[in-house]
Amino acid sequence: MKEPHDDDAALFRSAIGPVRKLPERAAPPAAPKPKPRARMAERDEANAREEFRHPLAAQLLEAEDPLAYRGPDVTSAAWQRLRHGEISAQEELDLHGADARTAEALLRAFLGDAVRHGLGCVRIIHGKGGRGRNEIGSSGAPILKNLVDRMLRQRASVVAFHSPPPAQGGAGAVLVLLKPPGRR
């Protein structure tokens, strides 16, 4: 018995008539391969940035918590002067109203400029959070304050920082000691 597809094939050949083969031609050039990318490195970098922005909840500072970090090379006398606001800031950065991405970029640029200009102490005003929308994260902690804390701890040029006395900004600001120009 003939299969139904055999009849279809014969019907098709009779409908199209004789077939002639096309002359052989060289294949068109292949599309250029994309340049290699370090996708794993890009993914790792993106993950690190994301982790940096979202610390563990146990590490979050509250609005009234002071920012404080003392590097191993800071003397007790210098630490006490910083804590009491006795070291004057040579420049100041006010991050009020900035979103986290903008604040991060501004802080990086500000610290880079301070180091390039040989400054010893700067003040960063981050606020306590809570007055504007986007100032408090889903955990209830101030976003900019925690961002500033994490960024300062990771900068090699920062040797110490502490929230100043209330008259100089209190828990809404931080005084930052930078490495002396000769030791950078």
Side-chain angles (χ1 to χ4, degrees), residues 67-69 79 82 149 152-153 158 160-163 174-176:
L67 268 67
Y69 166 77
W79 177 244
L82 181 67
D149 181 58
L152 291 177
R153 288 177 188 276
V158 174
F161 59 84
H162 201 284
S163 295
V174 63
L175 290 173
V176 181

Side-chain angles (χ1 to χ4, degrees), residues 87-180:
I87 301 175
S88 63
Q90 296 164 298
E91 282 295 329
E92 183 174 276
L93 173 65
D94 190 346
L95 297 173
H96 275 117
D99 61 74
R101 285 188 191 270
T102 303
E104 184 177 345
L106 288 170
L107 185 54
R108 285 183 194 282
F110 176 72
L111 291 173
D113 287 344
V115 167
R116 274 191 295 284
H117 289 94
L119 303 182
C121 183
V122 295
R123 179 184 358 262
I124 300 165
I125 302 170
H126 48 73
K128 295 179 186 178
R131 288 202 176 103
R133 60 187 180 124
N134 301 333
E135 287 186 4
I136 298 291
S138 59
S139 64
I143 294 171
L144 293 181
K145 182 173 192 163
N146 282 286
L147 174 74
V148 168
D149 181 58
R150 285 189 318 277
M151 286 185 69
L152 291 177
R153 288 177 188 276
Q154 296 188 358
R155 299 291 293 214
S157 58
V158 174
V159 295
F161 59 84
H162 201 284
S163 295
Q168 296 178 14
V174 63
L175 290 173
V176 181
L177 276 184
L178 300 170
K179 279 187 182 176

